[in-house]
Amino acid sequence: MKKILWIYLLLLVPTLTEILESGSLPVKPRDMITDVVMTIFMGILILIVYRGQRRLILMSETDELTRLKNRRAFQKELASAVARAHRLHITLSLAIIDVDQFKSINDSYGHHKGDRILAKIGKLLKDSVRSQVDTCYRIGGDEFAILLPAIDLRGAEGIDRRLEVLRDQCSELLKPYGSGLSVGVATLRKGESLDDLFRRADSHMFREKNAN
């Protein structure tokens, strides 16, 4: 938005410069009015285009069912978060979450019921994390992820509690369908790549799934 305002001001510079240099209004006020109107029109047009582009980007990175960010956004933001964590020497944790036996829910109760369950899980995920700090994603059919940046020891304990509450809430939701939730969490190690971080979190999730 600040960039748009700067562009708008730059469009006004020629007219303002003319007024300042002459010390008075232009000889033809009608020309000045035309310039100002055209400048305002161009500013509005640029703002409309900018907002339209932002809306398209948001739509392309949002999961339609859960309204969480999608896999495309996850891949981009995970890479950025890992690079930032290494550069600033801050912690970063990744949680991978999978709904157990979800295919059987779709097979037994229909995809409409399955979609409603996924939407509810998405809301539970979003409600369980730190607002404007952690980010939730739907990265597959029944698979979710949470990026958890800059967590100290106390924060890690808080995340563990919230994930435990999330498990309980989802278990209550999924129990009537013979399903549950498996969660794997990994914290970025020094020099570790984003692929290795993802693999460790995913491995922990599957270990819990196999134990259930």
Side-chain angles (χ1 to χ4, degrees):
M1 190 64 186
K2 289 182 179 179
K3 290 181 180 179
I4 297 298
L5 292 175
W6 276 112
I7 293 172
Y8 183 72
L9 289 173
L10 287 172
L11 290 172
L12 283 172
V13 165
T15 301
L16 295 174
T17 301
E18 182 181 351
I19 294 173
L20 291 172
E21 288 179 349
S22 64
S24 61
L25 292 176
V27 177
K28 297 180 179 179
R30 183 176 296 177
D31 292 343
M32 186 195 73
I33 293 172
T34 301
D35 289 345
V36 171
V37 170
M38 287 302 297
T39 300
I40 293 173
F41 173 77
M42 288 299 295
I44 293 172
L45 185 61
I46 291 171
L47 183 60
I48 291 172
V49 171
Y50 172 79
R51 286 182 172 175
Q53 289 177 333
R54 292 289 297 173
R55 190 175 294 111
L56 286 174
I57 292 172
L58 182 62
M59 288 173 61
S60 71
E61 295 184 348
T62 301
D63 176 61
E64 186 176 352
L65 177 63
T66 62
R67 309 312 299 169
L68 300 178
K69 291 190 174 185
N70 61 19
R71 189 177 188 89
R72 176 181 178 179
F74 171 70
Q75 291 174 329
K76 181 176 72 175
E77 293 177 12
L78 175 61
S80 176
V82 167
R84 183 173 182 271
H86 284 317
R87 185 175 67 253
L88 300 179
H89 305 289
I90 58 177
T91 59
L92 174 68
S93 293
L94 171 65
I96 300 296
I97 300 163
D98 190 83
V99 182
D100 301 331
Q101 307 297 327
F102 184 72
K103 185 178 182 300
S104 65
I105 296 177
N106 279 335
D107 292 343
S108 301
Y109 299 93
H111 288 273
H112 179 67
K113 172 64 72 173
D115 286 349
R116 289 180 62 185
I117 290 172
L118 290 175
K120 288 180 180 179
I121 291 174
K123 186 178 186 307
L124 289 173
L125 257 67
K126 199 167 185 179
D127 292 343
S128 71
V129 300
R130 298 170 297 175
S131 176
Q132 299 181 347
V133 178
D134 306 324
T135 310
C136 300
Y137 308 84
R138 183 187 178 200
I139 59 174
D142 59 353
E143 193 171 19
F144 300 84
I146 308 176
L147 269 181
L148 306 157
I151 297 176
D152 56 16
L153 182 59
R154 180 179 296 180
E157 292 172 352
I159 288 296
D160 287 341
R161 285 195 297 271
R162 283 197 288 272
L163 288 177
E164 194 60 41
V165 170
L166 175 65
R167 277 193 186 92
D168 293 341
Q169 291 174 331
C170 289
S171 293
E172 185 177 344
L173 171 67
L174 295 167
K175 189 175 181 180
Y177 308 100
S179 181
L181 206 68
S182 295
V183 182
V185 182
T187 298
L188 185 68
R189 295 168 176 168
K190 184 177 180 180
E192 186 175 38
S193 69
L194 64 91
D195 290 331
D196 288 339
L197 173 65
F198 182 88
R199 273 193 289 267
R200 285 199 300 114
D202 203 44
S203 176
H204 293 164
M205 182 273 293
F206 274 107
R207 193 177 304 156
E208 181 173 302
K209 182 183 287 288
N210 292 332
N212 290 340

